[in-house]
């Protein structure tokens, strides 16, 4: 009864309609658009840019006047007066209701350049956030592109296996026909049937790899799991010079932009440190309404109002022996950022030169693999003809088949390698 239930369940599941995979051809440009709209990591960086934009507004608001107001209501107790020896005590009744209202305003006229430096610092922080966003965009694009190109390479390798399976099937039929004529051994048929199983297993492994990679890529790009991604790889085959790539890197590298902005931020930090040693000047105004008047004995139950306007000057004497340490630290930081920028330029130049060399090497590798495929196919045809003429052994045929298969697989890998190295060049130079 148990086995009947399992069998019935399998029949029901098999009868359920399965969602067919929908093929979707995606170009590299469309791939990057999907990354832009679906990458959570990139969205976090975009939020950082928005946060930095608000920082500029906050820094600019320091130019606005400071206005403070206060209002209080109180209950006042009676006054007790004694002499200096706490004798001869006298009490006075005072108005018990007290009130106070104060309004103060201050407009900074000169702050030693601190406000302007703060605004410039906030602007640089936004530029830093934008550069960081661009670097994250390049990284996310390249990570997804690597999976995309793996999918492209697996598809090409599958085609090689499918063609070799088809060729092997024809060859098995030929060998079977020769066996029936008594011109081939049964062992020859068995050998090639084993070869066919190896090819089918190799194809199955590639199909599984493709399914896993396709599933992961659909998750990353926000596509339905039923989507079968068909890569439509395109790239510019123009062979630009190394100097052009180096120029592109100097102009567009997000990492280099970040170190350049770091230099500017260090300069503004030095200005902020120096501003602490300068006086602060502000226009001030105040108005105060209070009651009762408690500076008379007995206090008078009246409201009194006073106001003033003037210029306030503030200078921290402690800055003479404190700020010089901050200035020295800021100068060291300025030198450090200059050195870090120079190191980043050197490393970037090395990376571009290395990537360019590997890019050129990929073309040479493709030429070599194309010649290898040509020779492997010629060798296969010669050995095949010799085998059919009973001048070669089945082992020679198997060796020729394997050499041909490996050469064709290496050729499609070499083609993908050119595309990969091209986009790696663009990633390193910040132009992906």
């Amino acid at each position: 009864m148990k086995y009947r239930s399992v069998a019935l369940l399998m029949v029901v599941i098999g009868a359920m309609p399965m969602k067919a995979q929908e093929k979707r051809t995606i170009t590299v440009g469309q791939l990057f658009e999907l990354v832009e709209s679906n990458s959570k990591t990139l969205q976090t960086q975009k939020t950082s840019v928005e946060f930095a934009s608000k920082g500029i507004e906050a820094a600019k608001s320091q130019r606005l006047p400071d206005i403070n107001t206060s209002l209080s209501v109180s209950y006042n107790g009676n006054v007790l007066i004694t002499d200096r020896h706490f004798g001869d005590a006298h009490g006075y009744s005072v108005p018990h209701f007290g009130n106070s209202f104060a309004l103060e305003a201050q407009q900074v006229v000169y702050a030693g350049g601190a406000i302007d430096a703060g605004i410039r610092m906030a602007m640089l922080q936004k530029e830093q956030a934008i550069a960081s966003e661009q670097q994250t965009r390049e990284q996310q694009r390249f990570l997804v592109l690597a999976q995309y190109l793996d999918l492209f390479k697996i598809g090409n390798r599958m085609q090689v296996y499918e063609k070799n399976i088809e060729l092997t099937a024809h060859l098995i039929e030929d060998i079977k026909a020769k066996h029936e004529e008594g011109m081939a051994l049964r062992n020859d048929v068995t050998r090639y049937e084993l070869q066919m199983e190896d090819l089918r297993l190799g194809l199955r492994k590639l199909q599984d790899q493709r399914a896993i990679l396709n599933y992961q890529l659909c998750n990353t790009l926000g596509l339905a799991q039923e989507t079968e991604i068909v890569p439509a790889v395109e790239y510019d085959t123009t062979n630009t010079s190394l100097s052009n790539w180096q120029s592109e890197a100097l102009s567009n590298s997000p990492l280099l932009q970040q170190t350049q902005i770091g230099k500017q931020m260090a300069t503004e930090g030095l200005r902020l440190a120096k501003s602490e040693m300068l006086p602060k000047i502000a226009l001030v105004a105040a108005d105060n309404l209070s009651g009762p008047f408690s500076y008379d004995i007995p206090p008078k139950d009246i409201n009194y109002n006073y106001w003033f306007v003037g210029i306030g000057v503030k200078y921290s004497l402690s800055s003479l022996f404190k700020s010089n340490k901050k200035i020295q630290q800021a100068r060291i930081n300025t030198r450090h950022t200059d050195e870090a920028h120079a190191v980043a330029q050197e490393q970037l130049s090395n990376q571009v030169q290395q990537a360019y060399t590997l890019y050129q090497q990929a073309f040479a590798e493709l030429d070599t693999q194309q010649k290898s495929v040509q020779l492997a196919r010629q060798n296969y045809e010669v050995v095949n003809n010799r085998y059919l003429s009973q001048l070669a052994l089945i082992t020679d045929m198997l060796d020729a088949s394997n050499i041909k298969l490996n050469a064709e697989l290496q050729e499609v890998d070499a083609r993908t390698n050119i595309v990969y190295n091209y986009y790696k060049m663009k990633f390193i130079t910040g132009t992906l």
Side-chain angles (χ1 to χ4, degrees):
M1 186 65 184
K2 177 181 177 182
Y3 296 109
R4 289 181 181 177
S5 300
V6 173
L8 179 60
L9 179 61
M10 293 178 65
V11 170
V12 172
I13 293 175
M16 293 175 62
M18 301 295 291
K19 290 185 178 180
Q21 278 199 317
E22 176 188 355
K23 290 188 178 182
R24 178 172 175 179
T25 302
I26 298 179
T27 64
V28 175
Q30 292 170 337
L31 181 75
F32 291 163
E33 290 176 0
L34 290 170
V35 171
E36 190 72 25
S37 58
N38 292 289
S39 173
K40 295 180 178 62
T41 304
L42 185 56
Q43 183 58 46
T44 301
Q45 292 298 324
K46 291 180 179 180
T47 304
S48 297
V49 174
E50 184 180 355
F51 175 79
S53 298
K54 295 300 180 182
I56 296 176
E57 296 178 10
K60 288 182 177 180
S61 68
Q62 297 301 311
R63 288 174 173 170
L64 300 175
D66 293 327
I67 301 175
N68 299 308
T69 183
S70 63
L71 175 65
S72 65
V73 178
S74 62
Y75 178 85
N76 301 321
N78 292 327
V79 174
L80 176 66
I81 298 177
T82 68
D83 60 21
R84 298 292 290 173
H85 300 287
F86 299 99
D88 192 19
H90 299 280
Y92 294 93
S93 178
V94 300
H96 295 301
F97 176 75
N99 61 275
S100 175
F101 173 76
L103 178 65
E104 298 178 356
Q106 178 175 296
Q107 175 63 60
V108 176
V109 177
Y110 178 73
I115 294 178
D116 290 339
I119 293 173
R120 287 192 293 268
M121 183 72 80
M123 290 180 174
L124 289 172
Q125 287 173 346
K126 180 181 179 181
E127 292 180 17
Q128 190 80 287
I130 292 174
S132 179
E133 177 194 355
Q134 181 59 25
Q135 184 178 17
T136 301
R137 178 179 290 106
E138 297 280 319
Q139 291 172 345
Q140 292 299 306
R141 285 182 174 184
F142 190 66
L143 286 173
V144 173
L145 182 65
Q147 290 182 305
Y148 175 84
L149 292 178
D150 282 343
L151 207 60
F152 176 70
K153 180 174 69 175
I154 290 173
N156 289 336
R157 291 174 70 93
M158 286 172 58
Q159 292 178 6
V160 171
Y161 267 92
E162 288 168 354
K163 290 179 181 179
N164 277 270
I165 288 173
E166 182 180 356
L167 182 62
T168 301
H170 289 306
L171 185 58
I172 290 174
E173 293 300 323
D174 292 340
I175 297 175
K176 284 182 177 179
K178 290 176 63 64
H179 172 64
E180 292 176 357
E181 296 174 1
M183 299 175 63
L185 299 174
R186 176 60 192 172
N187 187 50
D188 293 352
V189 177
T190 303
R191 289 283 191 93
Y192 252 97
E193 286 177 340
L194 290 172
Q195 177 80 352
M196 174 67 85
E197 292 304 314
D198 287 340
L199 290 173
R200 286 173 177 167
L201 179 60
L203 179 60
R204 172 59 188 271
K205 289 181 178 179
L206 289 173
Q207 290 171 338
D208 291 342
Q209 289 176 15
R210 193 191 189 289
I212 294 171
L213 199 57
N214 188 86
Y215 183 89
Q216 294 174 349
L217 198 54
C218 284
N219 274 340
T220 303
L221 300 178
L223 300 176
Q225 296 300 331
E226 297 78 22
T227 305
E228 180 182 346
I229 298 174
V230 180
V233 177
E234 78 283 349
Y235 70 104
D236 186 7
T237 57
T238 304
N239 190 9
T240 56
S241 64
L242 175 59
S243 60
N244 289 337
W245 285 109
Q246 294 283 15
S247 298
E248 289 284 341
L250 291 175
S251 302
N252 300 289
S253 171
L255 181 60
L256 207 59
Q257 290 174 6
Q258 287 179 321
T259 57
Q260 179 63 39
I261 295 170
K263 288 177 56 180
Q264 298 173 359
M265 292 178 70
T267 301
E268 295 303 327
L270 179 59
R271 291 178 181 173
L272 281 171
K274 289 181 177 179
S275 70
E276 295 183 8
M277 299 191 68
L278 298 174
K280 312 297 186 291
I281 303 174
L283 296 175
V284 294
D287 185 84
N288 191 292
L289 175 66
S290 300
F293 186 78
S294 58
Y295 298 102
D296 197 2
I297 299 177
K300 297 180 179 179
D301 191 15
I302 59 174
N303 289 324
Y304 63 98
N305 183 80
Y306 68 92
W307 61 271
F308 68 86
V309 294
I311 298 177
V313 179
K314 181 180 179 180
Y315 184 78
S316 175
L317 293 176
S318 60
S319 65
L320 296 174
F321 53 86
K322 287 184 177 180
S323 296
N324 58 338
K325 302 297 189 298
K326 293 183 179 180
I327 293 173
Q328 292 174 5
Q329 184 183 28
R331 284 174 176 162
I332 293 174
N333 186 43
T334 301
R335 188 172 72 247
H336 172 71
T337 55
D338 289 340
E339 294 168 350
H341 182 67
V343 170
Q345 282 184 314
E346 179 182 334
Q347 292 178 344
L348 181 62
S349 178
N350 290 339
Q351 290 173 358
V352 172
Q353 191 275 337
Q354 181 184 22
Y356 181 80
T357 302
L358 294 176
Y359 180 49
Q360 298 300 315
Q361 184 185 96
F363 283 100
E365 182 181 358
L366 177 59
D367 290 338
T368 300
Q369 296 303 333
Q370 286 176 333
K371 293 176 182 177
S372 297
V373 168
Q374 182 181 1
L375 295 173
R377 287 174 178 172
Q378 291 176 357
N379 178 66
Y380 178 83
E381 291 176 1
V382 170
V383 175
N384 184 46
N385 292 332
R386 287 173 57 84
Y387 175 76
L388 294 176
S389 301
Q390 296 184 325
L391 298 176
L393 300 174
I394 189 66
T395 53
D396 298 328
M397 275 296 298
L398 291 172
D399 289 341
S401 298
N402 290 328
I403 291 172
K404 174 178 170 294
L405 174 63
N406 291 330
E408 290 172 345
L409 290 175
Q410 290 176 11
E411 181 192 14
V412 298
D413 289 352
R415 291 183 184 278
T416 307
N417 199 32
I418 289 177
V419 182
Y420 175 81
N421 280 282
Y422 169 76
Y423 281 110
K424 186 175 182 180
M425 286 285 297
K426 292 183 72 65
F427 168 67
I428 291 174
T429 56
T431 57
L432 189 58

